[in-house]
Amino acid sequence: MPEGIARRMQEEGIAKADAFLTSTWCARRLSKAELNKHAPREPIEGWEFYVQPEENVYRCHVIVDHQFPYSLPKFLLADVPTFPSWPHVEPDGNLCLRRTNRILRPNEPADVLGVLLGQVVDLIRRGELGLNLEDFQAEFYSYWNFSLEDDAASVFSLLNANAPSRFVRIWPGETRSIVGESEAQVLTWQRHRWGNKPQFDKTVPACLLWLPEVLLPNQFPRSASDLVALARMVSNGKELLERFSRLKLSTYYFVLGATGANGPCFAAVSSQPPQTPEIRTFRKHGTLNGFRKGKMPQAVVAARLFSSSVKAQRLRIDRVDANWIHGRGHDPHQPVLALKHVIVIGCGSVGAPIAEQLTKAGVGRIDIIDPEALTAANTGRHPLGAESIGTNKAIGMAGRLQRDHPHATVRGFDLSYQEFIFRHLEILQSASLIISATANWTAENLLNAQRIRGEIDAPLIFTWTEPHACAGHAVLLCAQSPCLQCGMTTEGALKTNVTIWTDSRDGELTEPACGAVFQPYGFIELQATISLASGLAIEALIDPAKRSVHRVSQTTTAFLKSAGGEWNPNWIEGYAERATGGLQTEINWEKNEQCPACSSKSIDESSISESQIGISNSPSALAS
Ligand SMILES: [Zn+2]
């Protein structure tokens, strides 16, 4: 076997590190047995040295792993203090340094060690002098979660991360519990995630204490009486605790919340009522030693229920609320999007990914409409795959999005657009935005007419692709005029297409079945149109003053040519950049004063004219 460059660099790196550490820090190499004590960190070499930043002397180890010198050395306190001792000291004594790869210089391991040793000395000094206690609070989760027992249960939280202290609801599970603001919120989340199971039937109260400060490790509750002490730090805590102690619960769940330097933090604690004869009698008969029935102060009950002899079981909390999932609590648009309701008509290779992107972006409620079942041929460019063949596209897609995003509400309707409005017009009328990705002129024309005549108020987005997805369109209409028809021919084709195709079939191919026409574009080419429409949808949702607009995406000229198309001279004339391709353009959606759909003359007519309800499919737009 040849030695290899990596092996030689490693040997040289270790030799350089050894020379530096032994000469400058009087270090000695660790024995195999000593290295083994750090086995979980997989060291290949290590050294021991001493530092004395202030009063005390500390024995330290530095170890390197098999990626060295392409990985940074790690430093540990060899005499491991009880966790948590100081900020940035892990349970095995490892010092959490600012491990930025910018200081990684594989050819100069001595320089790297020098920089890191500076951090080591500083961290130990600040720890010994207690100068960095606030780091415990800023990185609360590290210390709370590190110090939990291995089999500690965890809690998923849907709670709003803010004051005041209050009662919330929890569904207690053996390994995982769910806590939320209301029973409906908790049970809905579970049904969305795991289906409508009989055990998701009720929740119990839990007590959320919103503390004035994030807890330091020495304040972590160890007994139930520590929880009483924490409740006293909160203005309405005493009253909450007394009311809580009146409830006959088999387990009392507390959620602790506070806002730290890096945002809000949550933790959870559970405690069981003590099995003393006194508490058993009280829970059975409502009497307590030394007090007449109905006369004992609730504070006394609380003190005996949450006593120092009752263990507080600390639990880990994972946030699954919308605000956390969409932007880690830092997206200012999230509260707005969470309240929005979008209807996506058409769940094909354009509509389905739009629904997915909007769910991922944090839209709170999405309804998807499509009457078709997924075929094997669809799976090459539809988010759903073989598992869903034969399933209705809208129901299959909504089901998947719902399980993956249980905090949102996603529904599918196995209906054509016309059937949907006959049965569910009120759903359409409650929408914040309607997106048509049907590429079906009949449905689009009907939607356009409904909007012109005031049956629906929400802004509309129409989106479709040209052949081979070489160009994509998204038209946002925010007012009754201009309407979709204003920019279209009466057959439902765009007045100025971006591409032209010399082949009379417009790039379409026919499957060996009657009428099965398709365009052989792929999943990758479609993405430009999908993100064009999704991006426009988000803009329309967060900006109510958004005006009607037409966005166009163009593929590269090379791809267009390879597919057999050309740019339409009417589209590129006077715009050099359009002739180059590979861009996104925004243009006005112009009003047509003679529009057969929205001009004042046509609206005055009592019935919808034939030209408004065309029956042909748009020849330029198939997105199944
Ligand atoms: Zn019009």
Side-chain angles (χ1 to χ4, degrees):
M1 282 280 282
E3 270 281 271
I5 294 170
R7 173 83 60 200
R8 210 172 64 229
M9 283 199 67
Q10 187 164 80
E11 283 166 4
E12 283 172 15
I14 287 173
K16 285 180 186 172
D18 187 67
F20 170 74
L21 288 166
T22 50
S23 65
T24 314
W25 288 80
C26 304
R28 68 164 181 87
R29 285 232 193 175
L30 295 180
S31 67
K32 280 272 173 278
E34 287 171 312
L35 269 184
N36 259 340
K37 289 183 182 156
H38 305 300
R41 297 192 180 271
E42 300 180 348
I44 57 164
E45 204 60 71
W47 295 262
E48 180 170 285
F49 62 96
Y50 291 84
V51 297
Q52 186 179 15
E54 293 288 332
E55 194 88 348
N56 302 325
V57 177
Y58 297 89
R59 191 164 64 95
C60 300
H61 286 173
V62 51
I63 54 174
V64 297
D65 64 17
H66 67 280
Q67 291 186 63
F68 186 77
Y70 287 91
S71 64
L72 292 174
K74 293 187 178 72
F75 295 83
L76 302 98
L77 290 175
D79 302 305
V80 182
T82 309
F83 183 83
S85 52
W86 303 330
H88 313 293
V89 181
E90 293 181 7
D92 67 347
N94 183 54
L95 302 174
C96 238
L97 304 178
R98 292 187 296 278
R99 310 189 69 81
T100 156
N101 280 334
R102 270 176 296 173
I103 55 174
L104 186 63
R105 269 175 289 163
N107 292 320
E108 307 296 343
D111 291 359
V112 174
L113 283 165
V115 171
L116 293 175
L117 277 158
Q119 288 188 30
V120 166
V121 172
D122 186 53
L123 198 156
I124 293 176
R125 189 181 70 86
R126 290 161 64 82
E128 182 179 321
L129 298 179
L131 297 178
N132 55 354
L133 283 180
E134 71 279 3
D135 291 0
F136 269 139
Q137 295 170 309
E139 294 164 17
F140 170 78
Y141 284 120
S142 302
Y143 304 101
W144 180 274
N145 292 339
F146 254 137
S147 58
L148 293 178
E149 287 163 28
D150 285 343
D151 59 349
S154 71
V155 180
F156 274 169
S157 164
L158 290 159
L159 295 169
N160 301 329
N162 51 28
S165 299
R166 56 195 182 265
F167 281 131
V168 294
R169 304 294 300 195
I170 191 165
W171 183 89
E174 213 143 276
T175 53
R176 176 163 293 140
S177 305
I178 322 283
V179 66
E181 296 289 341
S182 67
E183 179 163 274
Q185 185 191 33
V186 171
L187 297 182
T188 301
W189 192 94
Q190 290 178 295
R191 288 169 188 152
H192 284 172
R193 176 65 188 83
W194 290 294
N196 211 350
K197 301 200 169 157
Q199 64 266 39
F200 303 147
D201 60 342
K202 65 175 193 297
T203 59
V204 294
C207 182
L208 166 62
L209 297 174
W210 196 266
L211 304 171
E213 274 200 332
V214 178
L215 295 181
L216 291 167
N218 62 13
Q219 295 173 302
F220 290 176
R222 283 157 183 84
S223 72
S225 63
D226 293 339
L227 292 164
V228 177
L230 291 177
R232 286 207 194 99
M233 295 164 66
V234 175
S235 60
N236 59 337
K238 183 167 169 284
E239 183 231 329
L240 277 177
L241 202 68
E242 288 178 14
R243 280 170 54 203
F244 203 32
S245 65
R246 251 178 245 152
L247 305 170
K248 290 175 186 169
L249 301 171
S250 57
T251 303
Y252 291 83
Y253 286 94
F254 290 83
V255 178
L256 308 174
T259 304
N262 293 330
C265 314
F266 279 116
V269 184
S270 70
S271 85
Q272 254 86 37
Q275 293 301 314
T276 59
E278 183 191 40
I279 290 294
R280 275 210 296 270
T281 308
F282 170 70
R283 285 164 71 88
K284 202 166 174 191
H285 304 294
T287 58
L288 209 57
N289 291 348
F291 296 97
R292 275 187 294 139
K293 185 163 183 173
K295 292 289 180 193
M296 66 279 173
Q298 204 59 39
V300 175
V301 178
R304 298 198 187 165
L305 197 58
F306 304 116
S307 73
S308 58
S309 60
V310 176
K311 192 176 179 224
Q313 188 74 42
R314 296 197 292 115
L315 311 168
R316 163 201 179 97
I317 278 202
D318 286 308
R319 284 182 65 181
V320 293
D321 58 297
N323 203 20
W324 179 252
I325 284 172
H326 305 289
R328 307 273 177 101
H330 292 289
D331 180 356
H333 300 309
Q334 176 42 223
V336 178
L337 291 175
L339 298 174
K340 298 296 183 184
H341 172 204
V342 175
I343 294 179
V344 180
I345 307 164
C347 189
S349 55
V350 173
I354 289 174
E356 182 170 39
Q357 290 190 358
L358 296 183
T359 311
K360 298 265 181 212
V363 173
R365 192 173 155 206
I366 296 187
D367 289 322
I368 311 171
I369 306 162
D370 199 304
E372 287 182 9
L374 191 81
T375 66
N378 294 144
T379 58
R381 57 192 196 199
H382 197 281
L384 295 176
E387 193 183 46
S388 306
I389 290 173
T391 308
N392 171 266
K393 290 177 184 174
I395 290 180
M397 194 64 204
R400 206 189 82 183
L401 291 175
Q402 187 63 96
R403 286 189 294 280
D404 288 347
H405 308 86
H407 57 279
T409 301
V410 189
R411 297 184 299 180
F413 294 86
D414 179 1
L415 295 171
S416 70
Y417 177 64
Q418 287 85 340
E419 288 171 301
F420 180 80
I421 55 173
F422 287 148
R423 297 195 203 177
H424 302 294
L425 186 60
E426 76 292 347
I427 297 179
L428 200 72
Q429 289 175 325
S430 71
S432 327
L433 174 73
I434 300 165
I435 301 175
S436 170
T438 57
N440 175 319
W441 183 234
T442 312
E444 289 179 343
N445 206 322
L446 178 54
L447 194 55
N448 191 46
Q450 286 176 289
R451 172 131 178 101
I452 293 166
R453 280 150 196 280
E455 190 167 75
I456 45 179
D457 293 330
L460 301 180
I461 288 179
F462 294 91
T463 184
W464 70 95
T465 62
E466 293 192 23
H468 298 273
C470 283
H473 299 267
V475 175
L476 168 69
L477 300 176
C478 296
Q480 288 159 315
S481 174
C483 76
L484 181 66
Q485 182 68 72
C486 284
M488 306 295 249
T489 67
T490 48
E491 292 80 31
L494 193 64
K495 282 182 178 164
T496 307
N497 267 330
V498 172
T499 60
I500 52 173
W501 302 81
T502 41
D503 185 330
S504 62
R505 291 175 305 165
D506 271 358
E508 288 166 5
L509 297 179
T510 309
E511 278 182 36
C514 181
V517 178
F518 75 102
Q519 294 175 343
Y521 51 75
F523 185 67
I524 294 167
E525 293 77 50
L526 274 177
Q527 301 311 308
T529 306
I530 293 159
S531 51
L532 189 77
S534 301
L536 189 56
I538 295 296
E539 285 175 41
L541 288 169
I542 59 184
D543 178 10
K546 184 100 188 144
R547 301 180 55 175
S548 299
V549 72
H550 177 196
R551 291 221 179 123
V552 181
S553 75
Q554 287 176 250
T555 185
T556 60
T557 303
F559 183 82
L560 175 74
K561 294 230 153 106
S562 72
E566 283 176 51
W567 300 124
N568 184 345
N570 294 336
W571 168 254
I572 59 176
E573 195 186 342
Y575 298 94
E577 71 282 5
R578 291 185 188 176
T580 315
L583 81 160
Q584 211 184 84
T585 317
E586 178 169 309
I587 51 179
N588 288 329
W589 188 254
E590 301 288 353
K591 178 167 173 56
N592 171 11
E593 297 299 341
Q594 313 302 320
C595 175
C598 75
S599 65
S600 52
K601 180 176 162 288
S602 70
I603 292 178
D604 290 343
E605 288 169 11
S606 57
S607 64
I608 298 174
S609 71
E610 216 170 273
S611 67
Q612 281 170 263
I613 304 289
I615 43 167
S616 65
N617 280 335
S618 163
S620 64
L622 292 170
S624 63

